[in-house]
Amino acid sequence: MMTAASEEGSTVPDGALTPLFVLSFRQRDELAALAARGGWQVIAARRADGVAERFAASGASVAVVDARGALGDGLAAVAALGGPAAARGAALLVLVSRGDTGSVAAFHDAGATHFLSSPHSEVEFVQALRFAARHAERLAAPMRESEPAQPLGWRLEGRRLVLTPALAALLDLPEVVPPRRLLALMSRADRSVALATARRLLLHRLPTAFAHDTIGMGRVVQHLQLCPASGTPEALIERLAGVPDAGAVMRDAMSGVRDAATARRWLARQLAEGRGQQAALIALNRFDIVNTAYGRVTGDTLLRAVQRRIEEVAAEAFGRGAVVARMGGSDFLLAADASTARMEAAAGRVAEALSRPFIAGGAVVVLGCRIGIASAEPDDDAAALLRRAGEALEIARTSDTLTLYVARAGQPGAIDTLAVDLRQAIDQGEIDIVFQPQVAVATGAITGAEALARWEHPVLGPLGAETLFAAAARADLVIGLSDHIQRIALAQAAAWPAALAGLRLAINLTPADIARPGFADIFLDRVDSSGFARARLTVEVTENGLIEDLGAASGLLATLRQAGCRVAIDDFGTGYSSLAYLKALPLDYLKIDKKLAQDITGSARDRIVVRGVIDMARSLGLSVIAEGVETPEQLDLLAREGCQYYQGFLCAGPVDVLELERLATTTRQSVRAG
């Protein structure tokens, strides 16, 4: 499915003033704008205070919780919304970062119904909203008696305001009134704010909001936007039950807690004064697990304890010349006017301090962290310095061995450094291939293997395909890297020993491959030149590789399939899982994402979801491969549900050819003996 328009002719939901509730701790305005362009009337929040009450009052049947960069806060919000949403038959869409998809199970248990991983396009976001809305619509029929009241709102038509019936009844007004009738219900100061907000809406054409008191309604927030169809102003009115806990806010402020915005302003001032700043971004390990297990109150207490330990190190290392701030979620910033050596030493002490146990919820908790450091360059502003520190943190996170990574002044950013190294690695043949066995559930025999890229970096250690392609994207090497991996994988498989002669080879295609004109001919020539049989080859594609042009992807895969290859859709069950793919694409296999497969040992709801995916695939004539199988219990339950193949550490992780041969021989002998 390309866009909503391609299926239904419009991206605008049915009906006027269709409300959507959005909670985003970092990107509220951006998400509100995307949803507004998709046709929703958005009620957007940045704080989780009273989130369940605000959602209930909004009248929305879909809530979006943006947990990117704020997993702990996002999970707490979903837990608060899960019960009310389920009771009303509403949908709860959670946005997560690609690296945090492992948290999907916790969000699902808390009540989330839909997920979308980032990065994603505007089309993907709008489509995800549509699917969530359809889910809510299907559940609505048996729950009509529990539906909320009609929304409170208005739309400008000509020189008149058309009020929703609920608003007209509440204010005892006709449904069509001049604007001054609503303005008359506000104070003089609030009227000025209302008019200024309306002018801002017309000038910038982006959703906006303002709070005020209204006679007959109390304290409310008006969420204004331009109607996507007509371009005229419209609004939803949200009634507020109370005000935020000022005491809690002030306690945080008086305890010295800085937020991300304050820290950025501090950095900007320091850089403007020409001071040599060092920025260290600190990401906690395992915090989300603790937050889920012990709850938000314990999680907040733990974060304050973490901040105190960082502040103690900062005070000892830099005195008053440093700032410590929580940047969101479980990420912290330590910045100081210091040399790189002093910051590295301080960061080492922070890592040591955070590796010591904490007391949380009456239990002993061990966290640990990863740290990325960047030095200010002459023309840096705060955003540039933090960006490079974030890239350094990402390198530390993706490494199996590093706790700390430093991007020094005058050097490229961390990903840029990898990009430079990657060119040399490709030229010198340093990228290698390992193979993860695919096993028949019924017999235990190895029937195939997925080719996976590995790079033994001289500093960072072993790096996998995700990191390689992130670096390749920065260096404009995606196609070159993909070509290189395909060539060496095919060459190695063509030279497999006799013991592997019957095995299938699975190779991944990237979105760049799918978008290349004439790629089918290029790829088939590459296969034939290698000497590997087309009939033993499976090409695997992920949903992200298909979304931009489903028609072109379908044509390419049909060509490869007609040429003798088989086709698998990979990582099904995370991100933007569209059933349209299963209908439109010529597929042979559906690969269940490892997290979804592992969830089969969780709750009854988890098993129902996995069972539904397997039943759907098999009813379409597809074979099912479960990824990430690690325990006999997982395999047993998957087998009961009809899964035919699996891969994962229960058999083996990615291995070289010699180990693959040994495993294949051993399992074959076991099958014969059995």
Side-chain angles (χ1 to χ4, degrees), residues 196-561:
T197 304
R199 287 193 292 270
R200 185 167 66 248
L201 173 69
L202 295 173
L203 176 63
H204 298 293
R205 309 189 69 80
L206 293 174
T208 187
F210 71 102
H212 62 91
D213 293 303
T214 295
I215 297 173
M217 294 179 67
R219 190 69 175 169
V220 301
V221 176
Q222 293 208 37
H223 299 268
L224 281 70
Q225 68 182 49
L226 298 180
C227 172
S230 65
T232 57
E234 60 184 13
L236 272 183
I237 299 176
E238 177 189 10
R239 301 182 72 173
L240 297 180
V243 298
D245 182 356
V249 174
M250 287 304 296
R251 283 192 296 274
D252 268 353
M254 296 304 291
S255 66
V257 175
R258 290 181 182 267
D259 60 16
T262 304
R264 288 189 178 96
R265 288 194 294 270
W266 185 90
L267 266 180
R269 288 196 301 270
Q270 299 293 308
L271 293 169
E273 294 171 4
R275 300 186 181 180
Q277 288 299 306
Q278 303 286 328
L281 285 176
I282 304 156
L284 299 182
N285 301 334
R286 298 180 291 277
F287 173 75
D288 297 311
I289 298 174
V290 176
N291 203 44
T292 302
Y294 296 102
R296 183 178 179 182
V297 173
T298 298
D300 289 346
T301 302
L302 186 57
L303 289 174
R304 286 192 288 271
V306 167
Q307 176 138 348
R308 282 194 297 272
R309 291 193 187 180
I310 299 174
E311 288 172 340
E312 288 170 2
V313 172
E316 181 182 343
F318 307 113
R320 301 176 64 87
V323 65
V324 174
R326 183 180 169 198
M327 301 301 284
S330 57
D331 291 354
F332 292 84
L333 169 71
L334 168 59
D337 179 9
S339 66
T340 303
R342 284 183 67 194
M343 179 57 79
E344 284 187 62
R349 292 200 293 275
V350 167
E352 188 277 330
L354 299 186
S355 69
R356 299 197 304 270
F358 293 84
I359 303 298
V364 178
V365 175
V366 178
L367 292 176
C369 67
R370 298 293 177 96
I371 304 175
I373 298 176
S375 304
E377 297 185 2
D379 296 327
D380 268 353
D381 56 13
L385 177 58
L386 291 173
R387 175 183 57 79
R388 288 204 317 283
E391 291 177 350
L393 174 60
E394 193 61 29
I395 293 298
R397 276 173 162 163
T398 56
S399 169
D400 292 333
T401 57
L402 291 178
T403 298
L404 173 67
Y405 185 86
V406 181
R408 301 181 188 278
Q411 294 180 346
I415 295 295
D416 293 323
T417 301
L418 270 184
V420 173
D421 294 345
L422 182 59
R423 290 181 182 274
Q424 181 177 343
I426 293 175
D427 292 340
Q428 297 183 0
E430 296 175 5
I431 308 296
D432 199 5
I433 297 295
V434 288
F435 300 93
Q436 184 161 36
Q438 295 177 335
V439 185
V441 172
T443 66
I446 294 176
T447 60
E450 180 181 0
L452 301 168
R454 286 294 183 272
W455 177 22
E456 191 69 35
H457 192 277
V459 175
L460 303 177
L463 302 176
E466 185 174 347
T467 304
L468 295 186
F469 278 100
R474 185 62 63 92
D476 196 21
L477 274 176
V478 171
I479 290 177
L481 177 62
S482 182
D483 286 348
H484 182 71
I485 291 170
Q486 291 166 17
R487 278 195 295 267
I488 58 178
L490 287 165
Q492 288 194 29
W496 275 348
L500 305 179
L503 268 59
R504 299 192 61 79
L505 172 68
I507 287 183
N508 292 279
L509 301 186
T510 69
D513 291 327
I514 293 170
R516 291 169 71 180
F519 176 72
D521 291 335
I522 295 171
F523 182 74
L524 292 172
D525 286 345
R526 183 173 298 148
V527 175
D528 294 342
S529 298
S530 73
F532 192 81
R534 295 181 181 182
R536 293 171 55 201
L537 184 64
T538 300
V539 293
E540 296 190 358
V541 294
T542 61
E543 299 164 75
N544 288 332
L546 304 171
I547 189 65
E548 293 300 330
D549 192 339
L550 185 57
S554 179
L556 167 67
L557 298 179
T559 299
L560 296 180
R561 200 163 181 255

